[in-house]
Amino acid sequence: MSQAKVKENDNKEIINCNNVNKWFGHHHVLKDVSLTVKKGEVLVILGPSGSGKSTFIRTINGLEEIQRGEITIDGISLSHDVKDIEAIRKETGMVFQQFNLFPHMTILKNITLAPIWVRKKPKADAEKTALELLERVGIPEQAHKYPGQLSGGQQQRVAIARALAMQPELMLFDEPTSALDPEMIKEVLDVMKELANSGMTMLVVTHEMGFAREVADRIVLFDEGEIIEQGTPEELFDNPKHERTKLFLSQIL
Amino acid sequence: MKTNMETGTNLPTSSPPKSTIGILGWLKQNLFNNWYNSILTILSVLVLYFALKGTLTWVFTTAQWDIVADNFRLFMVGQFPVEEIWRIWLALSLVSLLFGLSAGIWRGTNLHLSVVLMGIYLIHILASFTSVNTKMWLGINIAILVVSFFTGPRIPKHKVVTILGWFLAFPITIFLVNGFGVLPEVSTNLWGGLLLTLLISIIAIVFAFPIGILLALGRTSKLPIIRYFCIFFIEFVRGIPLITVLFMAMLLLPLFLPEGIEINNVLRVMVACTLFTSAYMAENVRGGLQSIPNGQYEAAKAIGLNPIQSMTFIIMPQALRAVIPAIVGQSISMFKDTSLVAIVGLADILGIAQAVKSNPDYLGRIMEAYLFVALAYWVIAYSMSYASRRLEKQLGVGER
Ligand SMILES: Nc1ncnc2c1ncn2[C@@H]1O[C@H](COP(=O)(O)OP(=O)(O)OP(=O)(O)O)[C@@H](O)[C@H]1O
Ligand SMILES: [Mg+2]
């Protein structure tokens, strides 16, 4: 099914990273990372702790600056120009491990804020879309509550709805279920699966192997700031080539 | 366990059991629960008894309150010309109107404060020393409070109107008090008493707040010139006492200004107090900004907000909410510190107390005057802190 989806989108590249390098002080965190992602592809990023997964996906919407290399998102080159960064952020939704909802605003306000102020949508339109999105993530009745009144799983689904409200071309997930109690993980993963099936381009950092196997079109394995192996879930899980991949998989599976 | 629940009382299970200990039980539990608490309780009661006995006897028998009664107008408005006092009454009526409206619309704290205001008006109507004219104005104010309380919620767009009213009340008051040529001008050296105290503190608080926010933002600016200027200003002001700022404003400022330009004393003091408070406000706001987790900035960026939008909608509202107690504390402290302007020669309420005590008619009655001044400060400062505590609760400070 996902094969067909990729074809449909004409193999158009949406992310193109070329020899990306990033240092924190003297610590070389990303080393010549090159990666292209096609429209509609679901990419799962795996790797041990500290291998640079978060740093990498945060470079894609400009939350981390890179020192060398280039990143192009949907034709816009991510430079130091504020205009370009803001343009890319409009096209890119991000979901964080800690949800990062705005605690002083209702759920509805959380979701409509950016469409109203960044996309300049009329308030009524934005609210209508927001309610539809809440329906889609399964919590239509929570619109007028505050984030603090929701469970973790519900908050994370709101965070997904908030990102979707900007109608992004691309969604980034940084360990979206790691801060959740086990019984809430499934409800968030289900929303993500539905999103993947709808054809959204997704980059997902996660430790949920079941999700990776089932949903990913391609898996990318990071270690010490480098991509050491990539391929379909079958290739990677059943037939890993690299020693470090085998080691990593033996530790988590 | 199960049988207990089935055969037990038929109280609704949701309500907690009523406390049944009674007054004696409460006393035993809270004041006499062990031997040293019992001793402490008895000691405290004794101290309280003697302190109160002395004070109250003095207040009601020995003290001669004519120093306050005879000079009541001075204490309230200083030398403000009698024939123009209606302007102050008008300003006060506006305040009563707004309090009445707010109380009618929002109830809660607004209502409590309005009741206090009403109480103050009533006491002064009943007092023997107030003139007929004063009693009439006070009566009008009470009427305004009551009428606006009941009609407030029925006015169309009442919330917008009331909030707008509060914003306009301040410039209108300044206009009424000064006149600015439209009404006969009352020169600032005639402003005095509680009126002057309130004007200085309100100006200082109202202006220091936005300046403080700007300074706090400037302190985190990426531009070194702005950052260092803000740091220098904040740390300089915080390093010196208010009284030296006031002396500088009074003595040094004229030396720097070109010949012929005179800024009047009251305005100078207002500027000095504003700048002084703004440095502290800036530090409070900065504390609030630091309490905002980085994730909030990142989420704001990630959904595409620009830095100004992110500051306005996400960061600043949360930062300010977190430091309401500190900001109100700072405002109260500014309000009390205005008493220092008496030292540089202004006739605020404390200045008036000092002026009248030197009148030989009231020899040896300084205590009464100071006590009255202290009471006036306390009523206002306590109302402020009470309102802020309620506001904190309403906004759920500390709950995230
Ligand atoms: N802001 C920062 N300043 C300095 N070093 C950082 C910073 N953020 C991350 N690092 C370092 O960069 C390296 C990569 O971090 P990153 O968070 O990208 O790892 P990760 O693969 O996401 O790990 P995890 O699975 O634990 O989330 C780590 O060694 C980390 O200590
Ligand atoms: Mg990470």
Side-chain angles (χ1 to χ4, degrees), chain A residues 50-249:
Chain A
S51 57
K53 308 179 296 290
S54 300
T55 310
F56 175 67
I57 77 165
R58 288 156 56 85
T59 60
I60 288 175
N61 66 348
L63 287 184
E64 302 285 0
E65 261 185 66
I66 59 171
Q67 275 94 30
R68 218 170 62 205
E70 52 202 46
I71 299 178
T72 313
I73 311 292
D74 209 11
I76 311 165
S77 164
L78 185 63
S79 58
H80 296 279
D81 192 342
V82 183
K83 280 268 161 345
D84 287 342
I85 296 180
E86 278 173 9
I88 284 173
R89 284 179 186 156
K90 273 198 215 175
E91 308 299 326
T92 313
M94 184 160 200
V95 176
F96 301 86
Q97 183 175 351
Q98 300 295 340
F99 329 137
N100 294 348
L101 295 180
F102 307 129
H104 61 304
M105 294 179 172
T106 61
I107 301 306
L108 195 62
K109 274 256 174 68
N110 263 278
I111 302 178
T112 55
L113 185 72
I116 292 174
W117 289 94
V118 182
R119 286 244 186 260
K120 314 282 182 213
K121 264 198 185 183
K123 192 169 172 227
D125 281 8
E127 289 186 347
K128 190 164 158 281
T129 316
L131 291 173
E132 285 165 10
L133 284 169
L134 283 176
E135 189 90 43
R136 185 169 168 194
V137 300
I139 38 174
E141 69 287 352
Q142 312 286 357
H144 298 286
K145 291 199 183 156
Y146 285 85
Q149 298 167 299
L150 268 54
S151 74
Q154 292 173 327
Q155 290 192 49
Q156 193 61 300
R157 287 187 276 160
V158 171
I160 295 175
R162 178 176 71 180
L164 290 176
M166 285 295 282
Q167 292 162 336
E169 295 290 323
L170 161 71
M171 287 281 287
L172 308 173
F173 294 85
D174 189 0
E175 302 199 25
T177 55
S178 297
L180 296 177
D181 293 336
E183 71 271 20
M184 294 171 185
I185 292 180
K186 185 175 177 296
E187 63 192 45
V188 172
L189 290 181
D190 284 346
V191 170
M192 290 169 63
K193 276 179 208 166
E194 187 270 323
L195 197 58
N197 289 336
S198 76
M200 175 64 76
T201 315
M202 291 164 63
L203 254 66
V204 186
V205 176
T206 186
H207 296 299
E208 295 295 327
M209 291 305 143
F211 176 85
R213 200 181 257 281
E214 184 183 344
V215 183
D217 295 315
R218 181 159 42 123
I219 293 183
V220 175
L221 202 105
F222 265 72
D223 194 16
E224 295 184 0
E226 291 174 297
I227 296 180
I228 53 170
E229 187 164 353
Q230 49 178 311
T232 63
E234 295 75 34
E235 287 168 3
L236 207 98
F237 284 126
D238 306 334
N239 200 1
K241 300 205 170 56
H242 205 288
E243 275 313 308
R244 279 194 280 174
T245 313
K246 287 179 194 158
L247 185 67
F248 173 72
L249 290 177

